[in-house]
């Protein structure tokens, strides 16, 4: 990674950290003492509650529809519910209700659906499992809510016993062996079936433990005998339950209730935690130190392209060609025979190999710099030791010379500046009878043209 890339990465990190700090300061309301965390799970909240309610039962629903009786009575109903809050906005509730539903037909009110004059149905029980959706649990304007709206829907099972009066005669399904239109019922038995409850309501937070609920539920029965009458042309029966009740939150007092917790407020509190803010400040200081170190790494007092921290020869005159450590490169000169380039070591190779060794790179880099700075041409002479045939060693020596040329050309030297020659086993500089001598003979030398 170069200095520019490193500085850019540090700058981006600083921006991100500063953004977190700004978000933590943005919420001006005081932090609560709650230990809840945004992703801490349901275990940090109270999620169970139990409630009691009472209200009125009627054989009609708010959305209208046909009925077997054109007048309806208001009767007392009462119920219980147990609820498990699964999230801020959703819970499952087991609810039950009992009571009485009744109505009558007024002959002066026009055509009616049946000839029965009145009915009274005993609702032994209606039990259902429903989903409850809390509206407004996530609030951007207030940290805590005291009023919440909810919608409900589910499915349930009920047992009921109608009592119908027709022509002055009353038939009680629960006490009759034979019901209307030939339906048989055991004595003291109840009709059982399914129903679908759909409702809405509003709840008020009385305290951390108690809610006051107002609700309305429409119950659609999967039968046409809830009022004891099978009337031609009418749909399945229905009844409604409007209620008021108290709901009690269960669990540890040290935990908040999940249904009233605003996750946005929890997030702001978490960001405003003093420990987190201290960590943000510490990270900002670290970033400043890193930026200062980057600037120090870039400082180059003598302008030779090598940073001061890595410059082994500080104060190099301007325009002087230097190597990677900042020291001047040797000049391109010849020895007394005017054939070998001086100032450069010989390039050695392993047995039966033309691959350059990494320790040869500094020598080749210096040679490349001299050729690029001063121009001129060189001949690269390749040699081999005496193992193998002379023809093979001649080819190997050419490959070694070409390896050096390829390196020089890749480093920026013009290919026309470098000539290669393979000399095979000729001109050994040490005895080929010893391994040490053969190692010295596996080489490349450069000569000035």
């Amino acid at each position: 990674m170069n200095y520019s890339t490193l500085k850019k990465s540090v700058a981006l990190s600083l921006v991100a950290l500063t953004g977190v700090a700004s978000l933590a300061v943005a919420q001006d309301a005081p932090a609560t003492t709650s230990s809840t965390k945004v992703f801490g799970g349901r275990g940090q909240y109270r999620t169970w509650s139990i409630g009691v309610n009472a209200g009125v039962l009627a054989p009609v629903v708010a959305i209208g529809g046909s009925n077997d009786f054109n007048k309806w009575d208001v009767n007392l109903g009462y119920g219980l519910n147990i609820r498990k809050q699964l999230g801020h906005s959703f819970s499952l509730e087991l609810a039950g209700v009992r009571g009485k539903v009744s109505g009558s037909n007024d002959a002066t009110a026009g055509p009616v659906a049946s000839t029965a004059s009145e009915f009274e149905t005993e609702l032994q029980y209606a039990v259902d499992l429903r989903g409850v959706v809390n509206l407004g649990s996530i609030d951007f304007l207030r940290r805590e809510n005291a009023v919440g709206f909810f919608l409900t829907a589910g499915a349930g099972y009920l047992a009921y016993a109608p009592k119908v009066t027709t022509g002055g005669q009353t038939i009680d399904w629960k006490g009759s062996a034979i019901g209307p239109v030939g339906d048989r019922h055991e004595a003291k038995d109840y009709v059982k079936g399914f129903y679908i409850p759909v409702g809405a309501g509003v709840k008020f937070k009385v305290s951390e433990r108690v809610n006051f609920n107002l609700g309305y539920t429409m119950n659609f029965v999967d039968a046409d005998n809830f009022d004891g009458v099978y009337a031609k042309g009418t749909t399945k029966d229905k009844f409604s339950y409007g209620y008021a009740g108290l709901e009690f939150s269960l669990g540890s007092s040290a935990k908040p209730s999940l249904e009233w917790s605003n996750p946005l407020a929890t997030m702001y509190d978490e960001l405003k935690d003093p420990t987190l803010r201290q960590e943000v400040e510490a990270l900002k200081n670290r970033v400043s130190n890193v930026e200062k170190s980057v600037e120090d790494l870039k400082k180059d007092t003598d302008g030779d392209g090598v940073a001061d921290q890595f410059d082994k020869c500080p104060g190099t005159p301007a325009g002087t060609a230097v190597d990677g450590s900042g020291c001047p490169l040797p000049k391109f000169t010849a020895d007394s025979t005017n054939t070998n380039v001086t100032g450069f070591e010989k390039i050695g190779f392993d047995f039966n190999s033309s691959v350059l060794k990494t320790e040869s790179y500094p020598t080749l880099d210096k040679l490349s710099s001299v050729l690029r700075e001063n121009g001129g041409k060189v001949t690269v002479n390749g040699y081999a030791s005496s193992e193998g045939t002379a023809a093979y060693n001649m080819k190997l020596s050419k490959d070694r010379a070409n390896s050096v040329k390829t390196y020089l050309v890749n480093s920026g030297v013009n290919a026309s500046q470098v000539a290669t020659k393979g000399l095979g086993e000729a001109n050994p500089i040490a005895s080929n009878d010893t391994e040490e001598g053969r190692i010295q003979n596996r080489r490349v030398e450069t000569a000035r043209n």
Side-chain angles (χ1 to χ4, degrees):
M1 178 183 292
N2 57 38
Y3 298 135
S4 177
T5 303
L6 177 60
K7 184 176 180 181
K8 185 179 294 183
S9 299
V10 171
L12 289 174
S13 300
L14 180 60
V15 171
L17 292 172
T18 304
V20 173
S22 299
L23 182 58
V25 175
Q27 174 70 358
D28 55 3
T32 66
T33 57
S34 173
S35 61
T36 56
K37 301 297 181 184
V38 176
F39 299 106
R42 286 193 299 270
Q44 59 188 338
Y45 297 98
R46 296 196 307 270
T47 58
W48 285 97
S49 62
I50 186 170
V52 294
N53 54 73
V56 295
L57 288 164
V60 292
V61 295
I63 61 174
S66 60
N67 291 283
D68 298 332
F69 295 85
N70 54 29
K71 294 180 64 177
W72 50 275
D73 301 328
V74 173
N75 296 284
L76 176 65
Y78 55 92
L80 295 171
N81 67 280
I82 299 175
R83 186 165 50 84
K84 170 67 173 178
Q85 195 75 29
L86 301 179
H88 291 282
S89 301
F90 182 76
S91 61
L92 286 178
E93 180 176 288
L94 182 65
V97 63
R98 297 189 65 181
K100 181 176 69 173
V101 180
S102 63
S104 60
N105 274 323
D106 186 355
T108 64
V112 296
S114 70
T115 58
S117 59
E118 62 182 14
F119 84 97
E120 179 181 295
T121 297
E122 177 189 348
L123 182 62
Q124 185 186 33
Y125 63 80
V127 179
D128 61 76
L129 181 65
R130 62 183 69 176
V132 182
V133 178
N134 296 334
L135 305 179
S137 297
I138 301 175
D139 198 324
F140 287 86
L141 302 178
R142 292 174 294 274
R143 294 177 57 81
E144 295 184 0
N145 294 327
V147 179
F149 296 88
F150 60 88
L151 300 175
T152 65
Y157 193 71
L158 77 168
Y160 55 93
K163 183 188 297 184
V164 185
T165 300
T166 304
Q169 181 181 3
T170 299
I171 300 177
D172 188 347
W173 285 37
K174 185 173 64 174
S176 301
I178 301 178
V181 297
D183 288 331
R184 292 186 173 275
H185 304 278
E186 297 294 333
K188 303 300 182 182
D189 195 17
Y190 290 87
V191 182
K192 297 180 176 64
F194 295 95
Y195 72 102
I196 295 176
V198 178
V202 58
K203 62 179 58 181
F204 303 89
K205 185 179 181 181
V206 179
S207 70
E208 292 298 325
R209 288 284 189 177
V210 181
N211 298 336
F212 176 68
N213 297 347
L214 294 175
Y216 179 79
T217 304
M218 299 180 292
N219 303 283
F220 300 92
V221 183
D222 187 27
D224 187 29
N225 59 6
F226 183 75
D227 54 10
V229 174
Y230 293 96
K232 183 178 180 181
T234 61
T235 59
K236 294 180 179 179
D237 292 334
K238 46 198 172 288
F239 67 97
S240 61
Y241 179 47
Y243 61 89
L246 295 176
E247 190 173 33
F248 304 90
S249 178
L250 307 177
S252 172
S253 299
K255 298 180 179 181
S257 176
L258 179 56
E259 69 173 321
W260 291 111
S261 296
N262 184 359
L264 291 175
T266 303
M267 180 183 69
Y268 286 133
D269 289 345
E270 196 169 319
L271 289 175
K272 289 191 68 177
D273 187 292
T275 303
L276 177 62
R277 300 189 67 178
Q278 292 171 6
E279 292 178 357
V280 171
E281 291 300 323
L283 287 173
K284 289 171 65 177
N285 292 333
R286 288 185 184 180
V287 170
S288 298
N289 293 335
V290 171
E291 281 194 322
K292 184 178 182 301
S293 298
V294 170
E295 293 300 325
D296 291 341
L297 286 173
K298 292 175 61 180
K299 188 179 296 183
D300 179 15
T301 304
D302 56 12
D304 60 2
V306 179
D308 290 351
Q309 293 196 19
F310 306 105
D311 198 339
K312 295 182 179 179
C313 300
T316 305
T320 303
V322 297
D323 58 17
S325 61
C327 294
L329 290 168
K331 297 296 182 180
F332 189 75
T333 59
D335 62 10
S336 57
T337 63
N338 199 32
T339 56
N340 289 334
V341 177
T342 61
F344 300 101
E345 300 175 358
K346 296 178 177 61
I347 307 301
F349 292 85
D350 288 332
F351 170 73
N352 195 29
S353 173
S354 60
V355 179
L356 292 171
K357 298 181 180 180
T358 55
E359 56 261 33
S360 300
Y361 294 168
T363 299
L364 293 171
D365 289 338
K366 290 180 180 180
L367 177 57
S368 173
S369 296
V370 170
L371 292 172
R372 286 184 282 110
E373 292 289 336
N374 303 315
K377 297 182 179 181
V378 294
T379 298
V380 180
N381 298 316
Y383 296 93
S385 56
S386 61
E387 298 99 327
T389 64
Y392 181 80
N393 287 333
M394 178 61 72
K395 177 181 180 302
L396 182 59
S397 66
K398 290 180 180 179
D399 291 341
R400 288 171 175 169
N402 286 328
S403 294
V404 171
K405 179 176 180 178
T406 299
Y407 186 95
L408 294 174
V409 171
N410 288 338
S411 67
V413 176
N414 194 306
S416 63
Q417 293 179 261
V418 185
T420 59
K421 184 182 296 185
L423 300 176
E425 301 173 12
N427 305 326
I429 59 174
S431 173
N432 278 311
D433 295 332
T434 64
E435 179 59 25
E436 183 180 351
R438 289 191 290 270
I439 290 174
Q440 295 184 52
N441 291 332
R442 301 166 191 149
R443 71 195 189 281
V444 161
E445 296 176 349
T446 56
R448 185 175 183 180
N449 291 348

